[in-house]
Amino acid sequence: MPMSLAADPNAPAPTARQRTWLFAALRADDGLMPLGVPHRSLDLMRERGWLKTAPATDDDPLQIRHQLTPGGRFALLSVGKADALLSVLTSTEPGRIEKPMQRQILTSLLREGLVCRLTRRGEQDQDDEQFTYITTLGRRLVGLPDEDATPAGDYLVAAFTEKGLTVAVETDRNGDTRVVYRLGDIEARFFREVWNPGFYTYSVRHPAWMHDKPWTALITYGADGAVEKHLPNGLGVQKESARMAAAFTAWLADRDDAAFTA
């Protein structure tokens, strides 16, 4: 682990209030400190290299804003936390923190929103075995690229709603989740495969970044009509969801399997 990613043990640590402000800047997409921080505190954090003056904007050219620096991010880290978060670079399962860590470190990472605990079904169910994954905030803190943590099904439900179709997320007896459409003699189930060590899970609840398989549609209609479709992926879950909703809507118009295209 690069030691530069952890705060200098000889440097002053941020106070509780300073940590709150620095984390607020970390959560902001532009890295800007929230408004209302006392000028004296801003000056002190800038002097310590945690902040820098942000370029003026056309919206408010006279408003001086401050932006989080790499030094400010590192001030929020201990060696143990940095070691745990960066361990995802060598994990066998993407995004999962497999490296053992002290309970105190895990508790702190969870409290600060730097990691989350998910079941094999992609849910935060306390009754099932959970595994630790780095969050978008955790990625930002150690300088890794952001990932989309939105559940894949949320995008598909929104895409169907935009088309005027009513769907729901359902869970079967195996714990697999699907987006389901039912009307008259038509039932359509939509899901994406997610690899869990040893088997695939049919899921719409896993975060979007965990999905590398395309949407699958299983449709039954009439006495014995059935169609299975897989649309190409590689565009990102949100765009792929919009394409699936559009393709299914076209199919509904005349139940022509050939109309089910990308």
Side-chain angles (χ1 to χ4, degrees):
M1 179 204 73
M3 293 302 293
S4 59
L5 285 183
D8 180 350
N10 299 316
T15 65
R17 292 185 70 194
Q18 289 169 345
R19 288 183 68 85
T20 298
W21 295 325
L22 292 172
F23 266 113
L26 183 68
R27 292 187 182 92
D29 290 337
D30 54 12
L32 291 176
M33 289 287 281
L35 295 172
V37 178
H39 291 295
R40 182 176 178 181
S41 297
L42 290 170
D43 291 342
L44 180 60
M45 288 187 283
R46 190 176 61 247
E47 290 172 5
R48 292 178 176 173
W50 300 342
L51 302 177
K52 65 179 181 181
T53 302
T57 64
D58 294 335
D59 295 336
D60 193 353
L62 299 180
Q63 176 70 56
I64 299 176
R65 299 296 301 273
H66 292 82
Q67 201 166 32
L68 187 67
T69 65
R73 290 191 287 110
F74 302 159
L76 295 170
L77 278 170
S78 65
V79 172
K81 288 182 180 180
D83 194 30
L85 294 173
L86 286 172
S87 70
V88 299
L89 294 174
T90 57
S91 296
T92 58
E93 181 183 344
R96 181 180 163 192
I97 298 178
E98 300 168 341
K99 184 182 180 68
M101 71 183 97
Q102 296 177 0
R103 171 60 60 178
Q104 179 181 357
I105 292 176
L106 175 59
T107 300
S108 181
L109 290 172
L110 287 168
R111 183 179 64 249
E112 294 172 340
L114 302 174
V115 301
C116 64
R117 300 272 287 165
L118 300 175
T119 69
R120 284 300 183 201
R121 303 296 176 182
E123 299 175 327
Q124 295 180 340
D125 188 342
Q126 298 289 342
D127 294 332
D128 289 340
E129 184 180 10
Q130 294 181 316
F131 302 88
T132 305
Y133 295 89
I134 190 171
T135 62
T136 296
L137 194 67
R139 289 178 179 276
R140 287 183 183 180
L141 188 56
V142 293
L144 297 177
D146 281 6
E147 295 282 5
D148 187 354
T150 305
D154 288 7
Y155 283 131
L156 189 58
V157 170
F160 278 129
T161 299
E162 203 170 294
K163 294 292 185 181
L165 302 180
T166 300
V167 295
V169 174
E170 296 183 2
T171 304
D172 67 16
R173 61 184 181 183
N174 295 321
D176 291 332
T177 52
R178 298 171 175 85
V179 172
V180 180
Y181 170 89
R182 292 188 184 91
L183 185 65
D185 65 351
I186 301 173
E187 179 179 277
R189 292 169 291 163
F190 305 87
F191 60 88
R192 299 173 75 105
E193 288 185 329
V194 176
W195 174 252
N196 282 318
F199 63 96
Y200 275 105
T201 295
Y202 301 137
S203 172
V204 298
R205 298 311 306 160
H206 281 78
W209 66 264
M210 289 190 182
H211 290 268
D212 59 1
K213 296 287 186 178
W215 279 112
T216 294
L218 299 177
I219 307 169
T220 57
Y221 59 96
D224 54 6
V227 59
E228 177 177 342
K229 289 291 184 178
H230 309 267
L231 293 188
N233 65 339
L235 297 178
V237 175
Q238 185 172 14
K239 289 184 178 179
E240 292 161 20
S241 299
R243 292 175 71 181
M244 176 58 83
F248 181 66
T249 301
W251 179 88
L252 279 177
D254 54 15
R255 299 194 191 182
D256 179 5
D257 293 355
F260 212 123
T261 65

